[in-house]
Amino acid sequence: MTVALVLGGILAVACVVLVALPFLREPDPVSDELHALTAEERDRLRLAEERDRALAALKELEADHRAGRIDDDDYRASLGPLRREAAEALAALEAYGRHPGRQGRPTS
Amino acid sequence: MPELGRAALVITLGLSVYALVAGAAAATLGRRRLAHSARNALIGAFASTVVASVVLAVAFARDDFSLTYVADHSSRSLGGIYKLSAFWGGQEGSLLLWLLILTGYSALAVWLNRRRARDLVVWVVPVLAGICVGFSWLLVAVASPFAVQAAPLDGAGLNPSLQNPYMMSHPPFLYLGYVGLAVPFAFAMGALLSGRTDERWIVTTRRWTLLAWTALGIGQLLGAHWAYVEVGWGGYYAWDPVENAALMPFLAATAFLHSVMIQEKRGMLKVWNVVLVSLAFCLSLFGTFLTRSGVVNSIHSFTRSDIGPWFLAFIIVAVAFSTALILWRLPLLRSTTRLESLVSREAVFLYNNLLLVALCLTILWGVAWPILSEAVRGQSVVVGRPYYDFFLRIFGLPLLLLMGAGPLIAWRRASLRGLLRTFAWPGGIAVATGIVLLARGAGSSIPGLIAYTFSAFVLAAIALEFARGTRARRALSSESWPVAFASLIGRNRRRYGGYVVHAAVVLLAIGIAGSSAYDSVTEGRLAPGQSLAVADYRLTYEKLAERDTDHATEVRAQVAVVRAGKDLGTVEAGKNSYRIAGPEPQVSSEVGIRTNYATGEDLFVIAEQVNDDGSVYFRVFVKPLVNLIWLAGLVFLLGSVIALWPDAREERRLAVRYGEAGSPAPSR
């Protein structure tokens, strides 16, 4: 019983220290604010996702074409729009790179 | 030391409540240190649950029967390894295992993503903590494994049917699956709460979902194998409500794993994905409720207990919370793209999703209807095998076909000419297989014939995908065939791991069709020296043997087996009578199985009744291809491991994406 109480006490104290650790480490922080994504960061994230999606689709299209799943006509018909999507996302991201803080193109 | 166990569980509850309240406050107010403190509380909850679990495990190892739970589920003569499985052999211990896995998963998920998905994790912490509060409350206030009593000299022992290696590993795997679904659910809810409805929560939890899904699948197969070799009724799946309870979240998670690919590839189905992940998690809670509340009679369920209403309340809260959040965030979940064609890879994924969810909801209705009927009308109704078999065929066979068709169809749109070219080989092989099987008599079961034909189609499509991919890889890199093959899989682990899983599903389908649509069965009472015939086997009952072991009296009927004139030796089937505390010994049926490893067929002998005059009532099955079901488990595991294996190129790509967006990349 006594051993159990002592061990239970040690466990409780250890947990309290663990929970209090962020406050013990930084009793007086410069900033206690959580970083939340800004509107610009959200827009850049959306554009990065669109770019990655278009690039992945281009890669898939190439693979499908090479493997014979789609013929030349379908390949050519799909290639243009996908390249355009990737190029638009890349251009918008680059514009952010050149002008940080500027809003990208609106959400479609 | 039951006091330490109880104290540890109280600490877990306290830490979980703190993580819930402080985590929600920190996320709402944007307080960094408070968010870290809440995260640490969740990690501390895992540590204290480990302490509680160690206390219980030590009590089992030391035969401490002053703990009621230990006395009820163990005995001095119980084998060492089964003392470990006795931990989860009853209600309270299995709930503690649930909590241990839940807090472990939670601690790991928030720790691994503490920097990479910081903004999401602050909202994930209170969601996971809320689930931990529910389970730790049950263990502290309703079903404690640390209740004490005056210690009896010996315990009641573990149910003999649970003393089986498959049953030992079946519950932990199921819990790894059930509980694992809490992580993608929490991240999905975190994404909705934070308004981060981009793909981040999906890429962060991709591996968690796959891990939980794999564990759930393996757990079900282990349970099926246990039922096959131990329960002794001649089957492996009885559409029992508790078995169905594990199948439903598995089906919902399967649909989710497919539909997230559409969101990743096309930016579609955002609402559908959060609905599916919520459905999968709520169904895992429902499954736990079914097993533990005693509302259904099942071989798997625990006795009627007090936790039912608590669990029901928990499910209602989870459903209401997730539904409200989804409705609130609907404007953020609008898709940016539309389905371009009804004949495209994403359309096939969508059909696959609809069929999986339809099958899942059909099973849910079959499980819920008897409960509702009894609750509302006071009448007990049974939804039996024909209902489930019917819907399995209606939804399962098209699903099998789509599994082969999907990889052959291009994303976005496919032309008729392209379809004809890609479907020619697999379609031709499937038709030829169907004709050959029909000629060999497989037409005795139309669903069986269709299942075999579709299986041939899927296997041919998978083989063709590997062959085309390897050839294309060789053309690009001039690698040797084996190197190109390995490199193909290494560069597309999810895709080709997925194909291996599809091959496992085909093996499963062939095994189920073979053993259920083309099996043979006969039964009869035999005296020593008498024979019976089944399919092309002749079985002769030779004699009855009885032997005593430390735990039981074993009676075995020895049966000589001859097939097509060839002596195959003997099989033994009988009964074990376990000496355990109580007025009556517990009797288990011990079946005799003779496996033909070349054909995957089993001869399955049950000694239904052993009579005083030495005669035995036998029931004998011949189950063609049944062993493909167990082989499917191994292939399923292989495919899952391939898909789960980390991909450094993918990690780098995500690092670039999230680095550009001003936040670090998530771990998956």
Side-chain angles (χ1 to χ4, degrees):
Chain A
M1 180 74 171
T2 314
V3 178
L5 280 176
V6 170
L7 290 175
I10 292 171
L11 179 65
V13 170
C15 287
V16 168
V17 170
L18 184 66
V19 169
L21 207 56
F23 298 100
L24 297 174
R25 270 189 181 156
E26 290 183 89
D28 191 16
V30 178
S31 167
D32 191 30
E33 280 193 18
L34 275 169
H35 171 75
L37 285 190
T38 61
E40 177 187 324
E41 284 170 336
R42 281 174 192 258
D43 198 43
R44 287 170 72 149
L45 182 57
R46 179 181 60 78
L47 290 167
E49 281 184 354
E50 279 181 18
R51 177 205 57 198
D52 286 356
R53 204 175 287 135
L55 291 176
L58 276 168
K59 205 173 138 196
E60 288 269 0
L61 186 71
E62 289 289 343
D64 281 348
H65 185 232
R66 264 202 311 275
R69 270 187 293 271
I70 55 173
D71 57 27
D72 293 344
D73 292 343
D74 285 345
Y75 172 70
R76 277 192 291 272
S78 301
L79 197 59
L82 281 177
R83 280 183 173 162
R84 197 165 48 247
E85 279 175 34
E88 280 173 10
L90 276 166
L93 277 170
E94 276 177 18
Y96 266 128
R98 285 196 301 272
H99 309 286
R102 200 190 78 171
Q103 195 73 3
R105 67 186 165 84
T107 309
S108 50
Chain B
M1 284 195 279
E3 300 84 5
L4 179 59
R6 276 198 297 272
L9 285 178
V10 170
I11 290 170
T12 301
L13 176 61
L15 289 169
S16 302
V17 171
Y18 176 79
L20 169 64
V21 177
T28 310
L29 303 171
R31 292 282 163 259
R32 181 173 53 86
R33 287 180 304 167
L34 192 59
H36 290 178
S37 171
R39 184 195 67 204
N40 286 2
L42 207 51
I43 294 167
F46 172 55
S48 54
T49 310
V50 168
V51 170
S53 304
V54 169
V55 169
L56 187 62
V58 168
F60 271 107
R62 294 172 59 186
D63 293 325
D64 183 357
F65 300 128
S66 67
L67 265 73
T68 311
Y69 182 74
V70 176
D72 286 349
H73 297 92
S74 184
S75 63
R76 293 188 191 281
S77 60
L78 188 66
I81 195 73
Y82 290 118
K83 279 188 177 160
L84 178 66
S85 66
F87 184 111
W88 52 84
Q91 177 87 284
E92 295 84 352
S94 63
L95 275 176
L96 180 55
L97 181 64
W98 235 100
L99 184 66
L100 179 68
I101 297 173
L102 176 63
T103 51
Y105 270 146
S106 303
L108 198 62
V110 299
W111 180 255
L112 289 177
N113 293 292
R114 68 191 185 285
R115 292 200 183 92
R116 297 162 173 175
R118 199 181 297 149
D119 44 341
L120 208 52
V121 164
V122 292
W123 283 104
V124 170
V125 167
V127 178
L128 284 171
I131 304 168
C132 292
V133 167
F135 278 91
S136 48
W137 168 255
L138 285 176
L139 280 159
V140 168
V142 189
S144 172
F146 298 110
V148 291
Q149 61 178 6
L153 287 175
D154 202 356
L158 185 66
N159 187 329
S161 65
L162 301 181
Q163 295 177 38
N164 174 292
Y166 293 104
M167 188 34 94
M168 208 187 129
S169 44
H170 162 68
F173 269 97
L174 274 192
Y175 294 166
L176 284 169
Y178 276 149
V179 187
L181 291 172
V183 176
F185 170 76
F187 273 83
M189 296 303 106
L192 294 176
L193 285 163
S194 62
R196 288 287 311 273
T197 51
D198 52 80
E199 284 172 26
R200 185 166 213 170
W201 74 271
I202 283 177
V203 293
T204 304
T205 58
R206 203 186 276 161
R207 284 216 172 80
W208 288 97
T209 314
L210 199 54
L211 187 69
W213 178 79
T214 303
L216 209 48
I218 295 292
Q220 285 176 92
L221 273 177
L222 288 170
H225 201 275
W226 168 77
Y228 187 64
V229 300
E230 189 66 33
V231 183
W233 60 279
Y236 40 82
Y237 198 86
W239 294 108
D240 177 286
V242 174
E243 291 172 344
N244 292 341
L247 183 59
M248 289 183 288
F250 181 77
L251 291 172
T254 308
F256 174 68
L257 281 172
H258 286 87
S259 65
V260 287
M261 279 190 259
I262 309 182
Q263 183 170 342
E264 286 181 48
K265 300 270 186 192
R266 302 296 319 279
M268 294 160 60
L269 301 187
K270 287 183 180 177
V271 179
W272 182 244
N273 282 327
V274 287
V275 167
L276 276 184
V277 82
S278 305
L279 179 69
F281 175 68
C282 291
L283 284 172
S284 80
L285 286 180
F286 181 64
T288 314
F289 163 74
L290 280 184
T291 323
R292 272 144 230 299
S293 61
V295 295
V296 292
N297 287 321
S298 160
I299 188 170
H300 308 271
S301 61
F302 298 100
T303 50
R304 193 170 285 273
S305 73
D306 299 332
I307 71 166
W310 290 99
F311 244 107
L312 205 54
F314 197 15
I315 295 169
I316 290 168
V317 169
V319 171
F321 173 69
S322 50
T323 308
L325 267 185
I326 293 169
L327 291 174
W328 176 43
R329 291 300 195 186
L330 266 183
L332 291 178
L333 293 169
R334 272 198 299 268
S335 291
T336 52
T337 47
R338 287 174 184 276
L339 196 65
E340 288 181 25
S341 165
L342 291 176
V343 187
S344 59
R345 178 92 55 95
E346 54 268 45
V348 171
F349 273 48
L350 193 61
Y351 306 144
N352 143 308
N353 257 247
L354 293 174
L355 287 168
L356 280 167
V357 172
L359 182 58
C360 177
L361 295 180
T362 307
I363 295 170
L364 178 62
W365 181 243
V367 172
W369 173 240
I371 301 169
L372 293 173
S373 172
E374 190 159 356
V376 176
R377 300 191 303 169
Q379 288 178 352
S380 181
V381 293
V382 176
V383 177
R385 186 168 202 109
Y387 169 86
Y388 294 109
D389 282 349
F390 174 77
F391 284 107
L392 180 66
R393 288 169 191 155
I394 293 292
F395 298 127
L397 290 174
L399 263 173
L400 194 59
L401 183 66
L402 288 177
M403 215 164 59
L408 299 175
I409 302 176
W411 289 97
R412 291 174 183 251
R413 69 174 73 83
S415 67
L416 183 62
R417 202 173 44 214
L419 286 177
L420 287 174
R421 194 173 54 241
T422 53
F423 274 70
W425 272 105
I429 289 170
V431 171
T433 305
I435 292 169
V436 169
L437 289 174
L438 194 60
R440 295 189 58 143
S444 59
S445 166
I446 297 301
L449 181 66
I450 296 172
Y452 282 162
T453 307
F454 286 0
S455 296
F457 173 71
V458 182
L459 285 179
I462 293 170
L464 195 65
E465 275 300 293
F466 274 102
R468 278 175 171 159
T470 309
R471 194 180 57 195
R473 178 93 207 126
R474 253 175 65 82
L476 270 181
S477 58
S478 306
E479 293 166 337
S480 66
W481 282 100
V483 173
F485 180 75
S487 150
L488 174 79
I489 296 171
R491 285 171 167 269
N492 303 277
R493 286 179 191 145
R494 277 173 82 197
R495 180 174 183 167
Y496 289 96
Y499 289 163
V500 175
V501 170
H502 283 184
V505 177
V506 172
L507 290 178
L508 187 73
I510 295 174
I512 292 172
S515 59
S516 59
Y518 301 101
D519 63 335
S520 307
V521 58
T522 192
E523 54 190 288
R525 178 174 171 157
L526 300 181
Q530 289 184 321
S531 300
L532 58 74
V534 54
D536 51 353
Y537 291 89
R538 173 156 288 278
L539 284 78
T540 305
Y541 168 37
E542 290 183 333
K543 62 177 180 181
L544 205 60
E546 188 173 317
R547 52 187 173 252
D548 278 321
T549 67
D550 289 345
H551 316 296
T553 301
E554 300 179 354
V555 178
R556 294 289 183 276
Q558 294 182 351
V559 179
V561 182
V562 175
R563 184 182 193 186
K566 189 181 171 191
D567 183 7
L568 298 180
T570 59
V571 292
E572 289 190 341
K575 306 274 183 195
N576 281 1
S577 183
Y578 290 89
R579 291 181 289 277
I580 58 169
E584 295 284 328
Q586 277 202 353
V587 178
S588 69
S589 180
E590 302 296 317
V591 299
I593 300 174
R594 184 179 178 82
T595 300
N596 183 334
Y597 290 102
T599 61
E601 179 177 280
D602 272 357
L603 173 71
F604 191 99
V605 182
I606 306 169
E608 292 262 16
Q609 195 180 325
V610 180
N611 301 307
D612 292 340
D613 62 359
S615 66
V616 175
Y617 193 89
F618 289 100
R619 183 196 284 261
V620 184
F621 297 86
V622 175
K623 294 186 165 291
L625 300 169
V626 69
N627 286 288
L628 291 190
I629 295 172
W630 322 128
L631 178 64
L634 296 176
V635 178
F636 174 80
L637 192 59
L638 173 70
S640 299
V641 169
I642 292 173
L644 275 166
W645 207 262
D647 183 344
R649 288 179 317 120
E650 172 80 351
E651 299 288 347
R652 281 196 295 274
R653 189 180 65 75
L654 290 170
V656 170
R657 177 197 290 181
Y658 291 104
E660 279 172 348
S663 57
S667 74
R668 290 171 303 134

